[in-house]
Amino acid sequence: MNVKAIMLILMACAVSAPASGQGFAGLGSDAGGFEMPRPGPFDFPADHGPHPTFRIEWWYVTANLTAADGTEYGAQWTLFRNALAPHEAGGWASPQVWLAHAALTTATQHLAAEKLARGGIGQAGVTAEPFGAWIDDWELSDHMAARGEGFAFDLALHATGPIVAQGDGGYSVKSAAGQASRYYSQPFYAASGEVELDGKHVPVTGTAWMDREWSSQPLAADQTGWDWFSLSFDDGARLMGFRLRGATDFVSATWIGADGRPEPLPPGALRLTPLRSTTVAGREVPVEWRLELPAKELDITTRALNDHAWNALSVPYWEGPIRALGSHPGRGYLEMTGYGGTK
Amino acid sequence: MLSLTDVCKGYASSEGRVTVLDGVSLSLAAGETLALTGESGSGKSTLLHLCAGLDAPDSGRIEVAGHPMGRSDAERAALRRGTVGLVFQQFNLIPSLDVAANLAFQARLAGRHDPRWQADLVATLDLGSLLVRYPEELSGGQQQRVAIGRTLAARPALVLADEPTGNLDEASGDRVMALMLRLVAETGAALLMVTHSPRLAARLDRQVHLRGGRLT
Amino acid sequence: MTGPMIALSALLSHWARHRVQAALLLIGLALATALLTGVQAINAEARASYDRAASALSQDKLPRLVAERITVADYVALRRAGWPVSPVIEGEALIGGQTLRLIGIEPLTLPSGVAPDIGLAGDPTGFLTGKVILSAEALNDPRVRPAELPPGVALTDIGVAAGILGPEISYLLLTGDRPAPPGYALIHPATTDLSQLTESFHLNLAAFGYLAFGVGLFIVHSAIGLAFEQRRGMFRTLRALGLSARALTGLLLAELLVFALVAGAAGVVLGWLIAGALLPDVAATLRGLYGAEVGSGLTLRPVWWLSGLGIAVLGMLASAGQSLWRLGRLPVLAPAQPRAWGRESARAMRGQALAGVGLIGAAAGLLAVRGLWAGFGVLAGLLLGGALMLPLLMAALTRAGQRLPDTWARLDAGDVFINEQLALRRGLAPGDRVEQGVIAGIYPDYGNPMPQVILSWDRHRALYPLPVLRYALITDIPAAEIRAAFPRVVVEDRAAIRKASVAVFERTFAVTAALNVLTLGVAALAMFASLLTLSSRRLPQVAPVWAMGLTRGRLAQLEFLRTLALAALIYGLALPLGLALAWVLLAVVNVEAFGWRLPMLLFPGDWLRLGMLSLLAAGLAAALPVHRLARIAPAELLKVFAHER
Ligand SMILES: Nc1ncnc2c1ncn2[C@@H]1O[C@H](COP(=O)(O)OP(=O)(O)OP(=O)(O)O)[C@@H](O)[C@H]1O
Ligand SMILES: [Mg+2]
């Protein structure tokens, strides 16, 4: 195993919970001198940029796209920041390590790529004002662009609604024991541009959703993974909901009105029930779900555009576009980690 | 015990082909002793070697103990281990083994080593004081006594001896000969002995003479 | 005990009564095995070092991008333009009191599998944050951790290397299948293949091993021949007593196998010691000649035991094959007939005796005649001209330097020089044309596996408008003055370079000289074995002369003189043969194998020395048999008359 693999394991905390969480790289504590998230207002635009004193952070965009002929696509652009020490330094001495994932999904194909870079020298990073995130030739600003083996996309992003603070004013609790992160979203992007698949360029339009989150201890020791939904309903409302699987499941959700006003839902208000599983990369993964939210008279079934939206990267996980059917039809993304154990 | 019918044997030499045995027939009963005489170069050793299976006749038939002489080297070697014992003029002891080991050698090789019989032989041949010596430390007569002991220790049914006393002075030759005849008689073996000496030949049951490739 | 065991113990009893002979057999085979395994061990160790270098630092296998100057900003600009590159800062650094080749890598952009195991030795982020330097050496720098790396190399994060060596990037590794970006030159990895570069050196060493093995087998052959000769009577007796020819052959084979295994085991251990003793010099030579790092530690690998014992068994069979085959072929009565055996032996014996003495003069000659296989050829040449080879190299190098100025002017006119490798490979001669221009001359280029062209500066710039990587100027101004005036300029003193080269060749001498001495020693032993065999065979010839009134002392004297005269004669014959072989090696084998040629120079002084050595060795080898003859008990001589032998 080389240093890269070790870095990837460190990064794994960002997308999947440790198989045996206790003491893994100190994530259960802040022994490394990392700052702990606290409730309070965000400080924009500074908070669009990196927070090097926190252990981990991500810029996470998913887009549901449609071509002129009605073909559906999903695109993912993700940049993770992982700090080996709670500070930033210039040049090679920077303890900040960056990891990025990009993927393109159709009903029959799922292609994913990965990049690693160190901070301090400008190869990867994020600026708050004007906002820009990049790693090598992948970029996220007013557009998102990435390319990998056999695929590429370049999509202009245009916000059609406000930024939404998740949880309690941007303080998102992740377990009954109080693990938490700072978390906000921009669920109202209109996306348009081009995807490239096997050398063919296809113009597409659709919606996109950005999640921003940073923390130093996002999971409780017993939590092994999560199922995370972001849904844009045809009526303009949005729903973010997740289930952290542990000794007892921890479910949290935010209802976002068409006007962008967030309504944090009490734990347990959203009911998540897996309906159908399929074997992906040798693991049983639930790809069809029932979501019930009685307070909003919501009762929907979600189906994956592609059951095999498996990111077979150094940290493998399921991430793909879904469609909601039932009381609230719409589209969105589902992320599932910790199935069948990572490394 | 031994029967030869019309045995012929010749050698290629520098003067062309030389016939040594030219139709030799002979038979020897169990327990019988036979002296083979003849001039030097008449083919006595050749005949003996054929009987021992050390060489093969050009034609004719040789039977030992009722069985025709085997064709393969392995069969003939087995015959020498089991049935036939050889005593040579040049003793042919194994120089790197001591007297005791030499004495026991053939019986062991044949899988018929009998310590009591060997002790008897040692006593009869008066070798008790020589057991830890090596062949090169023995006189000719002593060596031949060891060679005779080695042959008889394996209790062969047929003993073939080629001038066993040829290298010895008359007195020790007589002594060795007496011992050999006594032991052959004791074990009931048949004996075919080559000798130059009519005096020695006379001590055996029968005598045959080889001349011009034939027995007379 | 069963029958076969009885017979086997009888066969083996011979050795208990002939200890010197047994010792010779064992020593011969052990020495043969030892020299061969030793040399092979050295080669294996060196090759393992290269492999380790290659696998630990397989960035050496990736194409490199170089430019006049590469900054971090340049690197980032390339990455941001989508180029798959990874930066390396490399240079000499003093770490823990030792100068190491410090290689600073950027692990996050290196493809996996290129960097060695740099994690798990404590905290996994230590490497990235510069708290860890990896090296094979145990140095008293708290950052250094032991790792599977070639000796003399330290691997560290690029940040650490930048701190020690400066921020400039030495080169970029191109990790994807892409052409060079504009402004960068691409260097393909083949030019740094150590194993290719050092192949001729290892072939030479291997050749030495095979030669020594061959000589060792000669000892074995003599000893076995003697043992068979002496046991002729025993074989006949055994067969007369009822052992079949096949059983006897089988038992002798078993006996030889026992010897082979005992000697082989001793040989492996001995070979290990030899290799251990020679390896430091070999390592120094490889470092000096090729910059190849080879560790001076040696591990007794299990595979040596296997190969060593295998070699011993094969060698034993090869040496005994003749005797065994003859034994199996003869009719039962014949082995005891000295003349029948003698007729069979005579021819072989004469050749053997001659070879025994000749080995000292030019063992090489006779052995190589057996098989002119390229390796054996080189090996033979090495023995005879072991000392010749390297002075020749030196001369070749100096001559290369002298010949060039004559045609130097033609370079400016746009003509080119090519090296011999290129000339031989493409069959080019001066006046022919290559892509770069008309060939003005061909220069010898020792050890280089690659074709090469020298062209003028203007011509180079016209053909390859790439950034210039390095300038070099030749000047008469004393080095110290230049250094004082231009501190950043690297100044190489030609005298110092020459001194360093000579030092390297001296060490190569040390290795070849050591092997020379060992091989000569083995050859002397072979001659001793052979003379011992002869002396017992000659007893029947000597005895009548003694009986006619010549004293044993006088007989011994005559025998001694006879041996010396024979040695001198053989030496006289072997010398031209050896020279011919050396010529074949230099002009044929080496050219075929490596593409470069060495001029043949003659060193009569060395011949004289070799002649004296031959006589000395022959004298020493004859001493014991002759001494024995002088003291032989009259009874022994009498036995010749007393018994048919
Ligand atoms: N291997 C051989 N090749 C050629 N001729 C042989 C060979 N062996 C024996 N002879 C010849 O065969 C003849 C008989 O020899 P053999 O040894 O049988 O005689 P022998 O009667 O035993 O004589 P001696 O009384 O002298 O021992 C002799 O003429 C001899 O020259
Ligand atoms: Mg006779």
Side-chain angles (χ1 to χ4, degrees):
Chain A
M1 187 185 280
N2 61 24
V3 86
K4 196 176 209 170
I6 288 153
M7 292 319 305
L8 288 167
I9 289 180
L10 277 178
M11 299 305 294
C13 65
V15 288
S16 81
S20 63
Q22 190 58 50
F24 181 83
L27 281 174
S29 71
D30 63 342
F34 289 97
E35 197 179 335
M36 305 306 287
R38 274 169 311 208
F42 284 111
D43 171 19
F44 292 125
D47 276 340
H48 293 314
H51 301 78
T53 52
F54 289 81
R55 198 186 289 275
I56 59 159
E57 180 163 16
W58 59 72
W59 292 257
Y60 214 124
V61 185
T62 52
N64 292 96
L65 306 163
T66 311
D69 64 357
T71 310
E72 288 184 45
Y73 295 88
Q76 177 202 351
W77 194 106
T78 312
L79 181 65
F80 302 96
R81 181 188 59 78
N82 186 88
L84 307 179
H87 62 86
E88 174 61 309
W92 299 115
S94 165
Q96 305 290 327
V97 174
W98 300 83
L99 169 75
H101 288 171
L104 184 66
T105 314
T106 69
T108 55
Q109 266 178 297
H110 180 87
L111 298 167
E114 174 171 77
K115 277 189 178 286
L116 262 167
R118 59 207 291 161
I121 56 168
Q123 187 187 345
V126 178
T127 54
E129 181 69 17
F131 174 73
W134 74 92
I135 183 167
D136 291 346
D137 53 342
W138 294 5
E139 256 180 52
L140 171 67
S141 52
D142 55 356
H143 74 129
M144 68 182 224
R147 69 171 49 247
E149 191 84 7
F151 77 96
F153 55 76
D154 190 346
L155 305 165
L157 301 176
H158 171 66
T160 58
I163 283 171
V164 174
Q166 302 281 12
D168 176 11
Y171 183 79
S172 168
V173 176
K174 292 294 191 290
S175 77
Q179 266 79 13
S181 66
R182 295 306 311 255
Y183 182 9
Y184 71 83
S185 304
Q186 170 46 277
F188 296 107
Y189 274 132
S192 66
E194 189 178 86
V195 298
E196 185 188 327
L197 194 60
D198 299 331
K200 270 183 290 184
H201 296 254
V202 183
V204 291
T205 57
T207 59
W209 177 309
M210 174 165 80
D211 272 340
R212 280 280 291 117
E213 195 159 5
W214 60 94
S215 176
S216 290
Q217 36 137 210
L219 296 179
D222 65 301
Q223 290 175 333
T224 59
W226 63 63
D227 310 300
W228 204 295
F229 292 84
S230 56
L231 288 162
S232 303
F233 299 117
D234 293 350
D235 62 6
R238 306 287 196 257
L239 174 67
M240 187 285 295
F242 61 85
R243 176 180 78 159
L244 288 164
R245 302 191 302 277
T248 54
D249 288 355
F250 182 85
V251 178
S252 175
T254 304
W255 179 265
I256 304 162
D259 57 356
R261 213 171 43 80
E263 272 179 58
L265 299 164
L270 177 69
R271 283 218 301 277
L272 297 169
T273 319
L275 295 180
R276 180 175 68 85
S277 289
T278 192
T279 307
V280 183
R283 308 148 204 247
E284 281 293 295
V285 182
V287 290
E288 210 171 293
W289 293 74
R290 181 175 181 191
L291 275 67
E292 293 162 280
L293 184 58
K296 298 289 173 187
E297 292 179 343
L298 178 136
D299 186 350
I300 54 172
T301 301
T302 68
R303 279 194 196 135
L305 172 64
N306 182 341
D307 284 357
H308 297 271
W310 186 255
N311 279 351
L313 302 171
S314 39
V315 181
Y317 59 102
W318 197 101
E319 172 102 35
I322 53 171
R323 180 167 282 282
L325 306 163
S327 66
H328 288 67
R331 292 207 280 175
Y333 248 78
L334 168 59
E335 174 178 276
M336 296 181 286
T337 69
Y339 282 95
T342 53
K343 285 190 190 163
Chain B
M1 179 47 57
L2 173 68
S3 110
L4 280 74
T5 322
D6 265 341
V7 169
C8 296
K9 176 75 181 173
Y11 292 106
S13 80
S14 31
E15 300 114 50
R17 191 145 183 94
V18 180
T19 302
V20 180
L21 301 178
D22 188 13
V24 171
S25 296
L26 171 75
S27 91
L28 186 63
E32 195 180 7
T33 61
L34 174 70
L36 175 61
T37 54
E39 278 178 21
S40 182
S42 59
K44 305 181 296 292
S45 295
T46 301
L47 183 64
L48 209 69
H49 292 157
L50 292 179
C51 295
L54 290 170
D55 206 347
D58 298 335
S59 68
R61 212 178 134 76
I62 304 175
E63 274 181 29
V64 179
H67 299 289
M69 178 67 69
R71 297 221 159 265
S72 76
D73 175 54
E75 282 174 279
R76 291 195 241 148
L79 177 79
R80 288 197 293 279
R81 273 201 308 277
T83 314
V84 178
L86 281 161
V87 182
F88 297 98
Q89 185 174 357
Q90 308 92 341
F91 325 137
N92 287 330
L93 298 177
I94 292 172
S96 49
L97 295 181
D98 64 15
V99 167
N102 262 296
L103 271 175
F105 191 82
Q106 188 165 15
R108 284 204 169 117
L109 198 64
R112 260 191 250 142
H113 180 56
D114 175 355
R116 246 186 296 157
W117 171 229
Q118 173 145 346
D120 283 356
L121 281 172
V122 168
T124 309
L125 293 166
D126 192 18
L127 293 170
S129 59
L130 305 175
L131 286 177
V132 295
R133 294 215 202 162
Y134 284 88
E136 64 185 24
E137 299 160 348
L138 301 180
S139 76
Q142 289 166 336
Q143 288 192 50
Q144 193 60 303
R145 266 147 55 204
V146 177
I148 289 166
R150 175 180 69 186
T151 301
L152 290 165
R155 293 179 177 276
L158 171 64
V159 175
L160 301 171
D162 194 350
E163 296 183 57
T165 59
N167 274 340
L168 306 178
D169 62 74
E170 197 168 312
S172 35
D174 281 356
R175 216 178 130 228
V176 165
M177 183 57 65
L179 284 170
M180 184 169 79
L181 290 176
R182 182 175 138 198
L183 285 168
V184 164
E186 246 174 68
T187 55
L191 170 69
L192 172 59
M193 183 176 85
V194 170
T195 180
H196 274 116
S197 154
R199 193 170 57 83
L200 290 180
R203 293 170 69 169
L204 271 58
D205 299 344
R206 276 205 291 142
Q207 293 81 29
V208 285
H209 192 72
L210 191 60
R211 177 180 296 150
R214 290 173 177 276
L215 288 180
T216 55
Chain C
M1 272 206 285
T2 58
M5 288 311 290
I6 290 288
L8 182 62
S9 67
L11 284 173
L12 287 174
S13 69
H14 169 82
W15 299 105
R17 307 271 300 160
H18 296 87
R19 300 229 169 90
V20 175
Q21 209 179 343
L24 267 181
L25 181 62
L26 286 174
I27 290 172
L29 194 57
L31 277 178
T33 310
L35 282 167
L36 189 55
T37 27
V39 164
Q40 281 182 338
I42 290 174
N43 281 346
E45 193 64 33
R47 292 207 175 100
S49 285
Y50 309 149
D51 284 354
R52 225 178 320 148
S55 65
L57 303 163
S58 48
Q59 82 250 26
D60 282 351
K61 295 210 170 127
L62 289 173
R64 295 175 178 190
L65 296 175
V66 290
E68 228 164 306
R69 201 175 119 82
I70 307 173
T71 63
V72 174
D74 294 332
Y75 159 67
V76 171
L78 280 178
R79 287 295 305 193
R80 296 223 49 199
W83 291 92
V85 290
S86 184
V88 177
I89 295 180
E90 187 174 330
E92 304 254 294
L94 196 67
I95 296 168
Q98 196 171 323
T99 305
L100 297 179
R101 187 160 71 103
L102 185 68
I103 302 178
I105 55 164
E106 204 294 282
L108 299 184
T109 44
L110 269 187
S112 51
V114 171
D117 183 355
I118 52 184
L120 301 183
D123 69 314
T125 60
F127 189 86
L128 261 190
T129 50
K131 291 192 201 97
V132 172
I133 295 175
L134 297 169
S135 161
E137 280 83 358
L139 300 169
N140 51 357
D141 183 312
R143 290 173 298 174
V144 174
R145 305 256 172 84
E148 265 287 291
L149 281 171
V153 169
L155 193 73
T156 179
D157 182 68
I158 191 164
V160 178
I164 295 172
L165 302 169
E168 201 170 304
I169 289 168
S170 308
Y171 53 89
L172 297 169
L173 297 167
L174 189 60
T175 59
D177 186 17
R178 296 275 290 271
Y184 291 84
L186 191 66
I187 298 180
H188 284 284
T191 49
T192 55
D193 190 345
L194 276 182
S195 47
Q196 203 184 346
L197 214 57
T198 52
E199 200 42 49
S200 69
F201 183 84
H202 291 300
L203 181 64
N204 285 346
L205 271 190
F208 246 124
Y210 283 111
L211 174 64
F213 187 61
V215 175
L217 288 193
F218 186 82
I219 304 179
V220 178
H221 185 253
S222 294
I224 291 179
L226 179 57
F228 272 58
E229 161 85 15
Q230 288 174 338
R231 290 188 292 180
R232 235 174 33 212
M234 191 201 288
F235 297 158
R236 180 180 98 145
T237 305
L238 287 174
R239 293 202 54 194
L241 297 185
L243 208 64
S244 70
R246 182 178 305 186
L248 180 60
T249 309
L251 288 175
L252 283 168
L253 267 176
E255 173 196 86
L256 295 177
L257 196 70
V258 170
F259 271 95
L261 292 179
V262 171
V268 170
V269 173
L270 205 60
W272 181 60
L273 294 176
I274 290 174
L278 289 180
L279 194 60
D281 271 333
V282 171
T285 304
L286 286 168
R287 188 180 313 119
L289 277 180
Y290 309 105
E293 287 294 343
V294 174
S296 48
L298 199 65
T299 37
L300 189 53
R301 295 163 205 266
V303 63
W304 290 9
W305 286 108
L306 273 180
S307 75
L309 294 180
I311 282 168
V313 169
L314 284 180
M316 178 64 104
L317 289 180
S319 318
Q322 190 198 12
S323 296
L324 274 177
W325 186 68
R326 232 191 295 153
L327 178 78
R329 227 167 42 118
L330 284 174
V332 57
L333 290 171
Q337 295 166 354
R339 243 171 271 113
W341 180 273
R343 262 197 309 276
E344 279 285 333
S345 315
R347 254 176 64 217
M349 207 167 69
R350 266 196 297 276
Q352 210 172 304
L354 285 180
V357 184
L359 271 169
I360 294 306
L366 284 178
L367 275 163
V369 162
R370 273 196 208 159
L372 253 174
W373 187 52
F376 276 97
V378 176
L379 129 103
L382 265 180
L383 179 75
L384 191 84
L388 307 185
M389 192 102 168
L390 285 155
L392 290 184
L393 297 183
M394 292 298 293
L397 289 175
T398 13
R399 256 181 46 183
Q402 283 160 358
R403 229 159 52 190
L404 287 176
D406 308 334
T407 39
W408 207 252
R410 290 188 55 188
L411 268 191
D412 292 335
D415 289 353
V416 303
F417 296 140
I418 64 169
N419 69 353
E420 205 177 6
Q421 284 80 333
L422 180 58
L424 285 165
R425 231 171 272 182
R426 294 222 215 135
L428 296 170
D432 291 349
R433 201 157 232 303
V434 289
E435 297 90 282
Q436 291 81 2
V438 176
I439 299 166
I442 296 170
Y443 57 94
D445 194 2
Y446 163 71
N448 183 4
M450 307 294 291
Q452 209 170 60
V453 180
I454 292 181
L455 37 154
S456 75
W457 165 234
D458 291 334
R459 186 105 188 107
H460 187 275
R461 202 166 40 185
L463 285 168
Y464 307 100
L466 279 171
V468 176
L469 309 178
R470 258 165 231 149
Y471 295 93
L473 299 170
I474 303 170
T475 159
D476 291 334
I477 305 166
E481 278 179 37
I482 304 175
R483 280 199 194 99
F486 306 95
R488 279 183 53 91
V489 170
V490 178
V491 185
E492 302 277 11
D493 191 341
R494 278 173 90 184
I497 293 176
R498 180 177 296 249
K499 219 173 116 192
S501 331
V502 171
V504 167
F505 289 127
E506 288 293 318
R507 272 192 299 256
T508 314
F509 267 133
V511 178
T512 43
L515 283 173
N516 244 336
V517 166
L518 282 172
T519 314
L520 270 169
V522 172
L525 200 66
M527 196 160 61
F528 172 65
S530 162
L531 287 173
L532 212 58
T533 311
L534 270 183
S535 75
S536 89
R537 282 185 184 162
R538 281 177 57 77
L539 221 48
Q541 295 163 39
V542 171
V545 185
W546 167 75
M548 289 172 213
L550 223 56
T551 65
R552 285 167 297 160
R554 184 83 187 114
L555 269 175
Q557 238 175 19
L558 287 174
E559 279 291 301
F560 191 67
L561 287 176
R562 200 181 59 99
T563 305
L564 288 189
L566 204 57
L569 178 72
I570 298 289
Y571 168 74
L573 290 174
L575 195 60
L577 180 60
L579 289 175
L581 276 163
W583 181 85
V584 167
L585 265 181
L586 295 174
V588 182
V589 176
N590 209 57
V591 174
E592 286 295 318
F594 307 117
W596 41 266
R597 178 184 178 141
L598 291 167
M600 174 138 174
L601 300 183
L602 302 178
F603 293 87
D606 283 355
W607 305 348
L608 204 67
R609 206 164 51 94
L610 207 58
M612 301 310 285
L613 270 177
S614 306
L615 289 182
L616 183 69
L620 282 177
L624 181 65
V626 164
H627 177 77
R628 272 194 184 175
L629 181 61
R631 297 286 182 86
I632 195 168
E636 287 290 319
L637 290 166
L638 281 173
K639 273 188 196 162
V640 172
F641 306 117
H643 307 301
E644 187 198 342
R645 279 181 58 89

